[in-house]
Amino acid sequence: MVRVLLVSQRSDKIEQYSDLFKKLRYDFDTLSDETMVADYLSGAECDILVFDTLSSGINYDRLVKKIRSVLELSALLLIVGKDYSDKELLKQANALIYDDMNDELISSIFGMNVRMRTSLKKLSDTNRDLADSNYRLNALYATSSQFAGSLDKEKLIDYMLEGMDKALSYSLTSTLSFCHGEEPLLLINSLYELSEELINSLKMRAVLQYKSLFEGKELPYEVDAQTLKVRKLVKYSANRFNFTLFQYDNLFSPIALGDNFFGCVEIFKDVPFSDENATCFRTIAQQVTLPLKSATLYQDLQESNKKLERLERLKSEFISIVSHELRTPLTSIKNSLDIMLTGKCGDVTPSYEKFLEMAKRNSQRLSGIINDLLDLSKIEAGKMDYHFKNTDINSVIDYVKSSLTILAKDKGQEIVAVEGADLPQIYADSQRLEQVLTNLVSNAVKFTPEGKKITITSEFVNSSNLNYPDIFSDNLDKLNGDYILVSVKDEGIGIAYENLLHVFDKFAQIENSLSRKNGGSGLGLPIAKQLVEAHKGAIWCDSEPDKGSTFSFVVPIA
């Protein structure tokens, strides 16, 4: 309905326009007192103002100044004479109605201004809606950015409530959260202070709504309204809500993704929510669920890692303790066997000697396994001692070759060293590198059939010229600069490509008849890998089944 206000003191004009407004079906009022116009407009919305400037008792210039803010929202039509010349008032007018115009022309002027007024209202409403939508989108974007930057479940719930406050300007939110510690928590974010009775009502309401979501199903969490803890945040404590809060418009949503349930949120506002408000509310409540799930997985992963770290620490401590406890009696056994084999305890028959030698070999093997366990335990605990100095790699190769030559000859094998000439020195612990190379050559002897050859080589290389299987590229691609390359090539059983990476795993034994026959702890290569990496180098292997293997490592030059 179009509302019109006519301000005039001429009774004939009041009568003329009243009849006209009735025909046009406009809702209208007439005033003749200048002082009453501003009060009227402050209490009633008016679409068109009609000022009869020919009414001599009204100062329209003064009147316009009083109601200027209202005039900006209403169409102003002036009834004027042919000689009207008030320029200031003309600037405010939307149309002029000459005093001698007929009703049909006046009706057309009114109709045109009504249509203009309607179009301006629609444009104003559209602009306001666009501004509101843009504001909500910005709030959603800012909230989404906060969600993406956190794996803390408590912070994510707080970000959700902040986003709802920015986008919807709520009066109060009541959030039942299962993301704040091990016990459920009711988060109340309120514009004003709340009484204990009102808080208890909100607790009961939240629990009942939560249980209604799982009617006939098992609850993911048990919640008791009596013992439910509350965290309350109040913006303006000087004012206080009462139970009329429950007459406010409200929206409710679970915070859940699939089988993952994180809580539920209810929001209250003293004015009705629009459809856009409801969509925005549900969007924020849904947006937070994926980050919450990621945060839950991250938290579970952290807890699992802590358990694994504790188990790893206990395992290392156990290995260290057991190894030390085994070493003492094993030393006594070895010494006793050595004494018995000398004949000091009586004559040693060939049969006795055979079994004593067998016992001695196995005690030595057991001693080697214990030493490997102790070394691995020290490395993992970061307690392995290193004595770095400038070292010639060929001296390390010569020592290992001479130490294992007898072992190789017993199997009818030959160890050959092809050493690079004038190699630069490396900054290394020669004893640890001897341990690495001894492991590699010992394995070559162990897994190479009789009558075959084992070759140790050394050369100067740049990291860009290294050749290695792609399976080791993650570690070796990081190398940069000049290195000394040491390789141990055998003519043994070889290793399948898919098993290459696993040869450096702890306790690993690549399954085949020869590996089962020779046995071993499976610690030699993992220890070698750790020792080489402690020298800022890398180790790898290249092999084919039945064509032998080549184990190589690099250490940077001094």
Side-chain angles (χ1 to χ4, degrees), residues 63-122:
L63 179 60
V64 168
K65 289 177 181 178
K66 285 183 181 179
I67 59 174
R68 185 177 296 275
S69 61
V70 180
L71 283 174
E72 293 175 359
L73 301 177
S74 303
L76 174 61
L77 278 61
L78 302 179
I79 300 174
V80 299
K82 292 290 185 181
D83 58 347
Y84 186 76
S85 60
D86 188 339
K87 293 182 179 179
E88 289 300 319
L89 198 55
L90 283 172
K91 290 179 182 179
Q92 305 291 337
N94 295 89
L96 298 179
I97 302 174
Y98 289 100
D99 197 39
D100 57 353
M101 278 184 178
N102 59 46
D103 287 355
E104 185 177 351
L105 188 55
I106 294 172
S107 297
S108 297
I109 293 174
F110 270 98
M112 179 185 68
N113 279 275
V114 167
R115 289 191 296 274
M116 183 185 299
R117 172 69 176 157
T118 302
S119 297
L120 288 173
K121 269 190 172 183
K122 287 182 178 179

Side-chain angles (χ1 to χ4, degrees), residues 468-511:
Y468 45 82
D470 292 340
I471 199 168
F472 295 100
S473 59
D474 286 347
N475 290 329
L476 291 166
D477 285 350
K478 299 174 185 177
L479 298 178
N480 184 35
D482 295 327
Y483 294 82
I484 296 298
L485 169 65
V486 179
S487 298
V488 177
K489 179 177 176 57
D490 63 48
E491 299 175 357
I493 58 176
I495 304 167
Y497 179 83
E498 61 270 17
N499 291 323
L500 287 179
L501 198 60
H502 298 298
V503 299
F504 295 103
D505 293 343
K506 287 180 287 188
F507 306 104
Q509 284 271 297
I510 306 305
E511 282 298 318

Side-chain angles (χ1 to χ4, degrees), residues 78-337:
L78 302 179
I79 300 174
V80 299
K82 292 290 185 181
D83 58 347
Y84 186 76
S85 60
D86 188 339
K87 293 182 179 179
E88 289 300 319
L89 198 55
L90 283 172
K91 290 179 182 179
Q92 305 291 337
N94 295 89
L96 298 179
I97 302 174
Y98 289 100
D99 197 39
D100 57 353
M101 278 184 178
N102 59 46
D103 287 355
E104 185 177 351
L105 188 55
I106 294 172
S107 297
S108 297
I109 293 174
F110 270 98
M112 179 185 68
N113 279 275
V114 167
R115 289 191 296 274
M116 183 185 299
R117 172 69 176 157
T118 302
S119 297
L120 288 173
K121 269 190 172 183
K122 287 182 178 179
L123 181 61
S124 177
D125 291 343
T126 301
N127 287 337
R128 185 177 62 253
D129 291 342
L130 285 173
D132 290 343
S133 297
N134 187 54
Y135 179 80
R136 280 193 295 271
L137 285 173
N138 287 333
L140 283 171
Y141 176 77
T143 304
S144 298
S145 300
Q146 287 182 306
F147 289 159
S150 178
L151 286 172
D152 186 320
K153 291 195 287 186
E154 294 186 19
K155 286 184 178 179
L156 288 169
I157 294 294
D158 291 340
Y159 291 154
M160 178 194 74
L161 296 175
E162 288 175 15
M164 290 179 177
D165 188 19
K166 290 176 183 177
L168 305 172
S169 301
Y170 54 70
S171 299
L172 180 141
T173 60
S174 173
T175 308
L176 182 60
S177 170
F178 299 102
C179 301
H180 289 67
E182 297 182 358
E183 295 183 1
L185 180 67
L186 184 66
L187 307 173
I188 299 176
N189 287 18
S190 176
L191 201 60
Y192 304 134
E193 187 58 81
L194 305 164
S195 66
E196 284 300 318
E197 293 80 5
L198 189 52
I199 291 174
N200 289 334
S201 297
L202 287 169
K203 288 166 65 176
M204 182 65 72
R205 183 184 180 96
V207 171
L208 290 175
Q209 287 176 324
Y210 160 64
K211 291 183 176 180
S212 69
L213 293 172
F214 297 92
E215 190 172 358
K217 301 179 183 178
E218 185 179 355
L219 293 173
Y221 305 95
E222 289 297 328
V223 183
D224 181 8
Q226 300 296 324
T227 59
L228 180 61
K229 294 182 179 180
V230 176
R231 190 189 77 182
K232 180 181 67 172
L233 293 176
V234 177
K235 282 189 177 181
Y236 307 109
S237 56
N239 295 331
R240 180 178 288 268
F241 276 128
N242 54 40
F243 280 89
T244 57
L245 172 72
F246 296 118
Q247 298 174 7
Y248 288 3
D249 199 8
N250 70 300
L251 297 169
F252 174 81
S253 174
I255 308 170
L257 181 64
D259 294 333
N260 301 103
F261 189 84
F262 307 104
C264 48
V265 57
E266 186 174 22
I267 183 171
F268 297 87
K269 195 172 183 178
D270 56 354
V271 295
F273 289 108
S274 65
D275 292 341
E276 290 80 5
N277 292 152
T279 300
C280 182
F281 169 74
R282 287 191 294 270
T283 299
I284 295 176
Q286 185 61 35
Q287 272 186 333
V288 74
T289 56
L290 187 58
L292 282 171
K293 183 175 181 179
S294 298
T296 301
L297 294 173
Y298 177 72
Q299 185 178 9
D300 293 342
L301 183 61
Q302 280 188 317
E303 291 175 358
S304 297
N305 284 339
K306 287 179 181 178
K307 291 178 181 178
L308 288 173
E309 287 173 1
R310 181 174 177 273
L311 289 173
E312 186 70 19
R313 187 171 62 254
L314 290 173
K315 183 208 71 176
S316 297
E317 291 174 357
F318 172 76
I319 290 174
S320 180
I321 293 170
V322 170
S323 299
H324 279 291
E325 291 298 321
L326 287 174
R327 177 176 278 181
T328 301
L330 185 59
T331 301
S332 298
I333 292 171
K334 287 170 63 179
N335 291 337
S336 299
L337 289 170

